[in-house]
Amino acid sequence: MEDKNIVDLYWERSENAIKQTDIKYGKLLFKLSFQLLSSREDAEECVNDTYVAAWEAMPEERPDRLCAFLCKIDRRISINKYRYMHRQKRGGADLIVEELTDCIPSGSDEITDKAENDRLSDTINGFLGDLSEEKRVVFVKRYFYSEPISEISSQMKISEGKIKTMLYRMRLSLLSLLEKEGLL
Amino acid sequence: MTRSDKAKYLFEKMELIDDAYIDEAASYRPRSGRILKKASVIIAFAAVLSLFILLGMGSLFFRDHSKKGLSDTAEKYYAAALFDQVSENHTPHNSEAELLSSVMSDGCSHLIWMSVESGKYYDVKINASQESRLLGLSAYGTPITESSENGSYRVWIKRQDGTVISPELKRSVGNIYYGTVFEYDPELALSDEFVKSLESILY
C-alpha cells in the first residue's frame, strides 16, 4: 500500500492503518530498535509503542514521508528505552556512541541544547548533502539506523574495510565542520 | 559535559537528519551499474575462457580431423595427384644425368620430383622463402612402417648451394646429398602442411 493511503487510514482512524504500517515497515522498525537495544522483546515493545505514537500524532500531523516519520519516532522511543536499560547492560548503541566521540573535540565547551538545535540540523544535513549518495547512505545507515558495518557492507556490496574507511573519513569531516561552526 | 556525553548527544541528534536522507537510506539499492560492472567482468572473463576452450577444442578437432580425414596415405595420394597434374604441363628430364645438368649449375633452388613408373624427372624453380618453408616442413612427416606405402613419386629439394634433401627421408647426414639425387625408399610420409605448401607452389 502507498504511504499516502496508509496516512489516510490514520486520518480516518481506521485500525487497518496500524496493520498496514506493520506490513510495510514493521521489519524495518524492529531492526532499528533491535540494533540499539540488542533485545527482541524490547525491540518489539518499541515498535508497538511507535505505532501507538503514530496513531496519537495523526491526524494532527500529516507526514509527507511516512518511513522517516515512523523511524524517527521508533528511534526516539528506542533511545529512551536504551537509557532506561543502560545501567543494567550495554546495548549496541554504545559502540555507535564510541565512534561518534571522534566528532567531539577534546576541549570543547558545553553544548547549548535549544538555540543551536536548528544550526546543528542545518550543519548535519548540509554535510550529508555534500556527500555522494553512496557515502550519505552509509552514514545514515550507520548513525541513524545503527546498522552493523557487516550488514551495510552486505547490502551495499562494498567491503567492510572500505565502509570503515568511509565512516572514519566522514566522522573527521563532520568533526571539522562542527568545530568550524562552533557547535561542539 | 564529557566527550562521551557529547557523542551521545550527537547520536541522539541524528534524528535531525532530513527525512529525505532517511528514506533514501531505507530504500537504497546498490546501483545496477556496480552489479553490471561486476557481472560484465565475469561475463567477459567467461567469454574469454570459452573462447580459449573453443579454440583449444577446435585445434584438437582439426588436428584430429586432418589426421583422420586426410591420413598420411591420403596425403601421399593427394601429393601424387598433384604431381600427376603438374607433370603434364612440364617438360620432363628423361634421365638423372639430364636433370642434374639442368638444375645443378644454375645456382637456383628447385623442387624436383620423379615418377617411379616412368623414371622421368620434373622440376620447378622455387624462391628462397619457398625453399625455406619446404625444408622447414620436411622433417615432420610421420614414419612409414609399411613398404606398400612407398608411393608413385620421389621428391627432392635442391638448394642454391647444390645440396639435395628429400622431404620423405629423415634428416641425417647420409640423407643429404650434394650435386646429385639418389633413388630412395621413403622413410617419412609427407605431412599435411608440406602437401599444402606443394599445392601453393605447383599451382
Short mmCIF file of all heavy atoms in Angstrom, two decimals, chain B residues 13-54:
data_model
loop_
_atom_site.label_atom_id
_atom_site.label_comp_id
_atom_site.label_asym_id
_atom_site.label_seq_id
_atom_site.Cartn_x
_atom_site.Cartn_y
_atom_site.Cartn_z
N LYS B 13 20.99 13.31 18.29
CA LYS B 13 20.62 14.39 17.36
C LYS B 13 20.65 13.94 15.90
O LYS B 13 20.31 14.72 15.01
CB LYS B 13 21.55 15.59 17.55
CG LYS B 13 21.30 16.34 18.84
CD LYS B 13 19.89 16.91 18.86
CE LYS B 13 19.57 17.56 20.20
NZ LYS B 13 18.15 17.96 20.30
N MET B 14 21.06 12.72 15.69
CA MET B 14 20.99 12.19 14.33
C MET B 14 19.55 12.13 13.84
O MET B 14 19.29 11.95 12.66
CB MET B 14 21.64 10.81 14.25
CG MET B 14 23.16 10.83 14.33
SD MET B 14 23.89 11.74 12.97
CE MET B 14 25.52 12.07 13.62
N GLU B 15 18.62 12.29 14.75
CA GLU B 15 17.21 12.34 14.33
C GLU B 15 16.90 13.64 13.58
O GLU B 15 15.84 13.78 12.99
CB GLU B 15 16.29 12.20 15.54
CG GLU B 15 16.28 13.41 16.46
CD GLU B 15 15.30 13.24 17.61
OE1 GLU B 15 14.96 12.09 17.92
OE2 GLU B 15 14.89 14.27 18.18
N LEU B 16 17.86 14.57 13.62
CA LEU B 16 17.69 15.82 12.86
C LEU B 16 17.97 15.62 11.37
O LEU B 16 17.74 16.51 10.56
CB LEU B 16 18.63 16.90 13.40
CG LEU B 16 18.38 17.36 14.84
CD1 LEU B 16 19.48 18.28 15.32
CD2 LEU B 16 17.02 18.06 14.95
N ILE B 17 18.47 14.45 11.07
CA ILE B 17 18.74 14.16 9.64
C ILE B 17 17.45 14.31 8.85
O ILE B 17 16.38 13.85 9.29
CB ILE B 17 19.33 12.74 9.48
CG1 ILE B 17 20.76 12.70 10.04
CG2 ILE B 17 19.33 12.31 8.01
CD1 ILE B 17 21.38 11.32 10.05
N ASP B 18 17.59 14.92 7.71
CA ASP B 18 16.44 15.19 6.86
C ASP B 18 15.69 13.89 6.49
O ASP B 18 16.32 12.86 6.23
CB ASP B 18 16.93 15.88 5.57
CG ASP B 18 15.80 16.49 4.81
OD1 ASP B 18 15.11 15.75 4.07
OD2 ASP B 18 15.60 17.71 4.94
N ASP B 19 14.37 14.00 6.48
CA ASP B 19 13.53 12.83 6.15
C ASP B 19 13.91 12.21 4.80
O ASP B 19 13.85 10.99 4.63
CB ASP B 19 12.05 13.24 6.10
CG ASP B 19 11.49 13.50 7.49
OD1 ASP B 19 12.26 13.38 8.47
OD2 ASP B 19 10.29 13.85 7.59
N ALA B 20 14.29 13.08 3.89
CA ALA B 20 14.62 12.59 2.54
C ALA B 20 15.82 11.65 2.59
O ALA B 20 15.85 10.61 1.91
CB ALA B 20 14.92 13.76 1.62
N TYR B 21 16.81 12.01 3.42
CA TYR B 21 18.01 11.16 3.53
C TYR B 21 17.69 9.85 4.26
O TYR B 21 18.27 8.80 3.96
CB TYR B 21 19.13 11.91 4.26
CG TYR B 21 19.59 13.16 3.53
CD1 TYR B 21 20.03 14.27 4.25
CD2 TYR B 21 19.60 13.23 2.15
CE1 TYR B 21 20.47 15.42 3.61
CE2 TYR B 21 20.03 14.38 1.49
CZ TYR B 21 20.46 15.47 2.22
OH TYR B 21 20.88 16.60 1.58
N ILE B 22 16.77 9.93 5.21
CA ILE B 22 16.38 8.72 5.95
C ILE B 22 15.64 7.76 5.01
O ILE B 22 15.91 6.56 4.99
CB ILE B 22 15.50 9.09 7.17
CG1 ILE B 22 16.35 9.85 8.19
CG2 ILE B 22 14.89 7.85 7.81
CD1 ILE B 22 15.57 10.51 9.30
N ASP B 23 14.76 8.31 4.22
CA ASP B 23 14.05 7.50 3.22
C ASP B 23 15.02 6.91 2.20
O ASP B 23 14.93 5.75 1.82
CB ASP B 23 13.03 8.37 2.47
CG ASP B 23 11.67 8.35 3.15
OD1 ASP B 23 11.57 7.75 4.24
OD2 ASP B 23 10.72 8.95 2.61
N GLU B 24 15.95 7.78 1.79
CA GLU B 24 16.93 7.36 0.78
C GLU B 24 17.72 6.14 1.27
O GLU B 24 17.91 5.17 0.54
CB GLU B 24 17.89 8.53 0.51
CG GLU B 24 18.99 8.23 -0.48
CD GLU B 24 20.00 9.38 -0.55
OE1 GLU B 24 20.57 9.75 0.51
OE2 GLU B 24 20.22 9.91 -1.64
N ALA B 25 18.16 6.21 2.53
CA ALA B 25 18.96 5.11 3.07
C ALA B 25 18.12 3.85 3.24
O ALA B 25 18.62 2.73 3.03
CB ALA B 25 19.56 5.52 4.41
N ALA B 26 16.85 4.03 3.59
CA ALA B 26 15.99 2.86 3.81
C ALA B 26 15.68 2.14 2.50
O ALA B 26 15.56 0.93 2.47
CB ALA B 26 14.68 3.30 4.48
N SER B 27 15.57 2.94 1.44
CA SER B 27 15.17 2.33 0.16
C SER B 27 16.33 2.14 -0.79
O SER B 27 16.13 1.74 -1.93
CB SER B 27 14.11 3.21 -0.50
OG SER B 27 14.63 4.50 -0.72
N TYR B 28 17.53 2.42 -0.31
CA TYR B 28 18.70 2.38 -1.21
C TYR B 28 18.99 0.96 -1.69
O TYR B 28 18.98 0.01 -0.92
CB TYR B 28 19.93 2.91 -0.48
CG TYR B 28 21.17 2.97 -1.35
CD1 TYR B 28 21.41 4.04 -2.20
CD2 TYR B 28 22.11 1.94 -1.32
CE1 TYR B 28 22.54 4.09 -2.99
CE2 TYR B 28 23.25 1.98 -2.11
CZ TYR B 28 23.46 3.06 -2.94
OH TYR B 28 24.57 3.10 -3.73
N ARG B 29 19.21 0.87 -2.96
CA ARG B 29 19.68 -0.40 -3.55
C ARG B 29 20.94 -0.07 -4.32
O ARG B 29 21.00 0.97 -4.99
CB ARG B 29 18.65 -0.97 -4.53
CG ARG B 29 17.34 -1.38 -3.86
CD ARG B 29 17.51 -2.69 -3.07
NE ARG B 29 16.31 -3.05 -2.37
CZ ARG B 29 15.94 -2.57 -1.18
NH1 ARG B 29 16.72 -1.69 -0.56
NH2 ARG B 29 14.83 -2.96 -0.60
N PRO B 30 21.96 -0.92 -4.20
CA PRO B 30 23.18 -0.64 -4.96
C PRO B 30 22.85 -0.46 -6.42
O PRO B 30 22.00 -1.18 -6.95
CB PRO B 30 24.03 -1.90 -4.77
CG PRO B 30 23.48 -2.56 -3.57
CD PRO B 30 22.03 -2.18 -3.49
N ARG B 31 23.51 0.51 -7.03
CA ARG B 31 23.23 0.77 -8.44
C ARG B 31 23.52 -0.44 -9.27
O ARG B 31 24.49 -1.15 -9.04
CB ARG B 31 24.10 1.93 -8.93
CG ARG B 31 23.51 3.26 -8.55
CD ARG B 31 24.27 4.37 -9.22
NE ARG B 31 23.80 5.65 -8.74
CZ ARG B 31 24.56 6.72 -8.67
NH1 ARG B 31 25.81 6.68 -9.04
NH2 ARG B 31 24.07 7.85 -8.23
N SER B 32 22.64 -0.64 -10.23
CA SER B 32 22.85 -1.81 -11.10
C SER B 32 24.16 -1.69 -11.84
O SER B 32 24.74 -2.68 -12.23
CB SER B 32 21.69 -1.93 -12.08
OG SER B 32 21.59 -0.75 -12.83
N GLY B 33 24.65 -0.46 -12.00
CA GLY B 33 25.91 -0.26 -12.71
C GLY B 33 27.05 -1.02 -12.04
O GLY B 33 27.86 -1.66 -12.70
N ARG B 34 27.03 -0.95 -10.69
CA ARG B 34 28.09 -1.66 -9.96
C ARG B 34 27.97 -3.16 -10.18
O ARG B 34 28.94 -3.85 -10.45
CB ARG B 34 27.97 -1.34 -8.47
CG ARG B 34 28.99 -2.03 -7.60
CD ARG B 34 28.67 -1.79 -6.15
NE ARG B 34 28.92 -0.42 -5.76
CZ ARG B 34 30.08 0.04 -5.34
NH1 ARG B 34 31.10 -0.78 -5.24
NH2 ARG B 34 30.24 1.28 -5.00
N ILE B 35 26.69 -3.62 -10.06
CA ILE B 35 26.46 -5.04 -10.25
C ILE B 35 26.75 -5.44 -11.70
O ILE B 35 27.40 -6.43 -11.98
CB ILE B 35 25.01 -5.40 -9.87
CG1 ILE B 35 24.81 -5.17 -8.37
CG2 ILE B 35 24.68 -6.84 -10.22
CD1 ILE B 35 23.38 -5.18 -7.92
N LEU B 36 26.28 -4.55 -12.62
CA LEU B 36 26.51 -4.84 -14.04
C LEU B 36 28.00 -4.85 -14.36
O LEU B 36 28.47 -5.66 -15.14
CB LEU B 36 25.81 -3.79 -14.90
CG LEU B 36 24.31 -3.97 -15.09
CD1 LEU B 36 23.75 -2.82 -15.87
CD2 LEU B 36 24.03 -5.28 -15.82
N LYS B 37 28.72 -3.92 -13.68
CA LYS B 37 30.16 -3.85 -13.93
C LYS B 37 30.81 -5.16 -13.51
O LYS B 37 31.60 -5.74 -14.25
CB LYS B 37 30.74 -2.68 -13.14
CG LYS B 37 32.15 -2.30 -13.55
CD LYS B 37 32.61 -1.10 -12.77
CE LYS B 37 34.09 -0.86 -12.97
NZ LYS B 37 34.59 0.20 -12.13
N LYS B 38 30.41 -5.62 -12.31
CA LYS B 38 30.96 -6.89 -11.84
C LYS B 38 30.52 -8.02 -12.76
O LYS B 38 31.31 -8.88 -13.13
CB LYS B 38 30.50 -7.17 -10.41
CG LYS B 38 31.27 -6.40 -9.36
CD LYS B 38 30.91 -6.87 -7.98
CE LYS B 38 31.77 -6.15 -6.95
NZ LYS B 38 31.44 -6.54 -5.58
N ALA B 39 29.23 -7.97 -13.12
CA ALA B 39 28.70 -9.03 -13.97
C ALA B 39 29.39 -9.01 -15.33
O ALA B 39 29.73 -10.07 -15.86
CB ALA B 39 27.20 -8.84 -14.16
N SER B 40 29.64 -7.79 -15.84
CA SER B 40 30.27 -7.72 -17.16
C SER B 40 31.70 -8.24 -17.11
O SER B 40 32.17 -8.87 -18.06
CB SER B 40 30.24 -6.29 -17.71
OG SER B 40 30.97 -5.45 -16.86
N VAL B 41 32.38 -8.00 -15.98
CA VAL B 41 33.74 -8.52 -15.83
C VAL B 41 33.69 -10.05 -15.83
O VAL B 41 34.49 -10.72 -16.50
CB VAL B 41 34.39 -7.99 -14.53
CG1 VAL B 41 35.67 -8.75 -14.21
CG2 VAL B 41 34.68 -6.51 -14.66
N ILE B 42 32.71 -10.58 -15.08
CA ILE B 42 32.59 -12.04 -15.00
C ILE B 42 32.22 -12.61 -16.38
O ILE B 42 32.81 -13.60 -16.82
CB ILE B 42 31.51 -12.43 -13.96
CG1 ILE B 42 32.02 -12.08 -12.56
CG2 ILE B 42 31.19 -13.92 -14.03
CD1 ILE B 42 30.96 -12.12 -11.48
N ILE B 43 31.29 -11.93 -17.06
CA ILE B 43 30.87 -12.41 -18.38
C ILE B 43 32.03 -12.35 -19.37
O ILE B 43 32.26 -13.28 -20.13
CB ILE B 43 29.67 -11.58 -18.90
CG1 ILE B 43 28.42 -11.94 -18.08
CG2 ILE B 43 29.42 -11.84 -20.38
CD1 ILE B 43 27.26 -10.99 -18.29
N ALA B 44 32.78 -11.24 -19.30
CA ALA B 44 33.93 -11.10 -20.21
C ALA B 44 34.95 -12.19 -19.95
O ALA B 44 35.49 -12.80 -20.88
CB ALA B 44 34.57 -9.72 -20.04
N PHE B 45 35.18 -12.45 -18.66
CA PHE B 45 36.14 -13.49 -18.29
C PHE B 45 35.66 -14.85 -18.81
O PHE B 45 36.43 -15.61 -19.39
CB PHE B 45 36.32 -13.53 -16.77
CG PHE B 45 37.26 -14.58 -16.29
CD1 PHE B 45 38.62 -14.42 -16.43
CD2 PHE B 45 36.77 -15.75 -15.71
CE1 PHE B 45 39.49 -15.40 -15.99
CE2 PHE B 45 37.63 -16.73 -15.28
CZ PHE B 45 39.00 -16.55 -15.42
N ALA B 46 34.35 -15.10 -18.60
CA ALA B 46 33.78 -16.38 -19.06
C ALA B 46 33.87 -16.49 -20.57
O ALA B 46 34.16 -17.56 -21.11
CB ALA B 46 32.33 -16.49 -18.60
N ALA B 47 33.64 -15.34 -21.25
CA ALA B 47 33.68 -15.35 -22.72
C ALA B 47 35.09 -15.67 -23.21
O ALA B 47 35.27 -16.48 -24.13
CB ALA B 47 33.22 -14.01 -23.26
N VAL B 48 36.08 -15.03 -22.57
CA VAL B 48 37.48 -15.27 -22.97
C VAL B 48 37.84 -16.72 -22.71
O VAL B 48 38.47 -17.38 -23.55
CB VAL B 48 38.43 -14.31 -22.21
CG1 VAL B 48 39.87 -14.72 -22.42
CG2 VAL B 48 38.22 -12.89 -22.68
N LEU B 49 37.40 -17.21 -21.53
CA LEU B 49 37.69 -18.60 -21.18
C LEU B 49 37.05 -19.54 -22.19
O LEU B 49 37.68 -20.49 -22.67
CB LEU B 49 37.15 -18.88 -19.77
CG LEU B 49 37.61 -20.18 -19.12
CD1 LEU B 49 39.11 -20.16 -18.89
CD2 LEU B 49 36.88 -20.41 -17.81
N SER B 50 35.78 -19.25 -22.54
CA SER B 50 35.07 -20.09 -23.51
C SER B 50 35.78 -20.07 -24.86
O SER B 50 35.90 -21.10 -25.52
CB SER B 50 33.64 -19.59 -23.71
OG SER B 50 32.98 -19.55 -22.49
N LEU B 51 36.26 -18.86 -25.22
CA LEU B 51 36.95 -18.72 -26.50
C LEU B 51 38.20 -19.60 -26.53
O LEU B 51 38.46 -20.31 -27.50
CB LEU B 51 37.32 -17.26 -26.72
CG LEU B 51 37.92 -16.92 -28.08
CD1 LEU B 51 36.90 -17.15 -29.19
CD2 LEU B 51 38.38 -15.47 -28.12
N PHE B 52 38.96 -19.55 -25.42
CA PHE B 52 40.16 -20.37 -25.33
C PHE B 52 39.81 -21.85 -25.43
O PHE B 52 40.48 -22.61 -26.12
CB PHE B 52 40.91 -20.09 -24.03
CG PHE B 52 41.84 -18.91 -24.13
CD1 PHE B 52 41.60 -17.76 -23.40
CD2 PHE B 52 42.94 -18.94 -24.95
CE1 PHE B 52 42.43 -16.66 -23.49
CE2 PHE B 52 43.79 -17.84 -25.07
CZ PHE B 52 43.54 -16.71 -24.32
N ILE B 53 38.73 -22.22 -24.70
CA ILE B 53 38.32 -23.63 -24.73
C ILE B 53 37.91 -24.02 -26.14
O ILE B 53 38.32 -25.07 -26.65
CB ILE B 53 37.17 -23.87 -23.74
CG1 ILE B 53 37.69 -23.74 -22.30
CG2 ILE B 53 36.55 -25.25 -23.95
CD1 ILE B 53 36.62 -23.70 -21.25
N LEU B 54 37.12 -23.14 -26.79
CA LEU B 54 36.68 -23.45 -28.16
C LEU B 54 37.86 -23.55 -29.11
O LEU B 54 37.92 -24.46 -29.94
CB LEU B 54 35.71 -22.36 -28.65
CG LEU B 54 34.28 -22.48 -28.12
CD1 LEU B 54 33.47 -21.26 -28.54
CD2 LEU B 54 33.62 -23.74 -28.66
#
